[in-house]
Amino acid sequence: CFGILITLCIRTCMDPYGPQGFLTLINPQWSTLSEATAWLEAAAHVVFSLQLGSGVISTYGGYNKFNHNIIRDCWVIIIGHIFWVLLSVFLIFSLFGVAYKEDTINLKNLSPDHPLISITGEGVWLGAITLVESSFNELSYDWLWAGLFFILMVIICITSIFGYVELITNTLISPSATCFRFKPLLSLLTVLSLSLIGLLLTTEGGIHIYYLLHTSLASWPLLLFTIITILTSVYSHGISYIVKDISSMCKTTLSHIISS
């Protein structure tokens, strides 16, 4: 994923309007920080992209040995995610510069009644329409770069789906150890069930179902369940025991700052 992303970033830098568009759009509007909606959206994106509080990372962590250094893994995940976000922002803003050229400055000076997403779109519309038809179309060998972009999107979606399939399967087999031999079958049934549910989105009213799920379940409920999961885990196990267990597993003495 990082290889494809870096390749696309290098290609957009070769266009004279790519870096110019990034430098134009990267200037922050500090007044936005006073809006609670901006913080909610940012927190939802961080939680969703890192799959925090959903149990996916905990499920994968269950395959580690007891003395595995989970502190090192946390730092690797955090630093890797920061680089991923920076490269992704650079790619999107550069592609906006390639698409709109000298008019990129106008995207920054839009009125509150007509935000940026009203022009560029978001989600699937941003990736499939704005970037492919407007941005990659301006580059030489546009079919190659658009293909790499869609391959990147498919890989990201598949890795996220695999994480949730693993979570659902382990949840079903956790009550009894004898169910472990049925894990491949349960994984297959889970994928088929999710595929059948996904067929609802291909109907005429599927777009309405998608926006209903996206607006109602993909932001504040995720944050709510994440906060509830963390608070209940800390309260049930105890902070002192959590610090002691982490020190025992990682064979590292945590500083008093972290302990406090």
Side-chain angles (χ1 to χ4, degrees):
C1 291
F2 272 97
I4 299 177
L5 184 59
I6 293 174
T7 301
L8 292 175
C9 290
I10 294 175
R11 179 60 188 90
T12 55
C13 287
M14 297 174 63
D15 190 282
Y17 294 102
Q20 180 181 350
F22 171 76
L23 294 176
T24 301
L25 296 175
I26 198 60
N27 294 326
Q29 296 180 358
W30 300 108
S31 59
T32 308
L33 297 178
S34 61
E35 301 177 3
T37 307
W39 291 97
L40 179 63
E41 289 288 339
H45 282 292
V46 171
V47 172
F48 187 75
S49 60
L50 290 177
Q51 297 178 336
L52 301 177
S54 60
V56 175
I57 297 181
S58 302
T59 302
Y60 284 139
Y63 293 102
N64 293 329
K65 296 180 179 179
F66 179 80
N67 292 325
H68 188 79
N69 194 340
I70 60 175
I71 298 179
R72 179 191 59 196
D73 290 350
C74 290
W75 280 111
V76 170
I77 293 174
I78 292 173
I79 295 175
H81 185 261
I82 291 174
F83 277 105
W84 178 267
V85 171
L86 293 176
L87 290 174
S88 300
V89 171
F90 178 81
L91 176 62
I92 299 302
F93 285 178
S94 298
L95 288 174
F96 283 163
V98 173
Y100 296 99
K101 296 181 173 56
E102 293 88 351
D103 295 332
T104 306
I105 189 63
N106 296 330
L107 297 178
K108 186 182 176 182
N109 300 325
L110 296 174
S111 62
D113 297 332
H114 298 85
L116 180 62
I117 60 175
S118 64
I119 298 177
T120 62
E122 59 180 338
V124 179
W125 185 272
L126 171 61
I129 304 299
T130 304
L131 297 183
V132 173
E133 292 189 356
S134 301
S135 301
F136 289 108
N137 194 36
E138 299 293 331
L139 302 175
S140 58
Y141 299 101
D142 54 336
W143 56 272
L144 175 61
W145 311 116
L148 289 177
F149 181 78
F150 273 109
I151 291 175
L152 179 63
M153 295 296 102
V154 170
I155 293 176
I156 294 173
C157 294
I158 289 178
T159 53
S160 299
I161 293 174
F162 279 170
Y164 288 109
V165 169
E166 185 71 16
L167 170 64
I168 296 173
T169 304
N170 284 352
T171 303
L172 294 176
I173 66 175
S174 59
S176 176
T178 58
C179 298
F180 185 79
R181 64 178 183 271
F182 300 109
K183 183 178 179 179
L185 178 61
L186 290 176
S187 299
L188 178 61
L189 294 177
T190 301
V191 172
L192 293 177
S193 301
L194 294 177
S195 300
L196 293 176
I197 296 175
L199 290 177
L200 295 175
L201 303 179
T202 62
T203 60
E204 294 183 358
I207 189 64
H208 303 290
I209 300 176
Y210 168 78
Y211 278 112
L212 178 63
L213 296 175
H214 179 71
T215 55
S216 302
L217 299 178
S219 55
W220 66 266
L222 184 62
L223 294 177
L224 178 62
F225 282 107
T226 299
I227 295 174
I228 292 176
T229 301
I230 295 175
L231 291 179
T232 52
S233 300
V234 172
Y235 178 78
S236 301
H237 196 65
I239 297 178
S240 59
Y241 289 102
I242 292 176
V243 174
K244 185 185 299 184
D245 292 340
I246 293 176
S247 300
S248 176
M249 288 186 294
C250 301
K251 295 182 179 180
T252 303
T253 302
L254 300 178
S255 64
H256 295 290
I257 299 177
I258 298 177
S259 302
S260 60

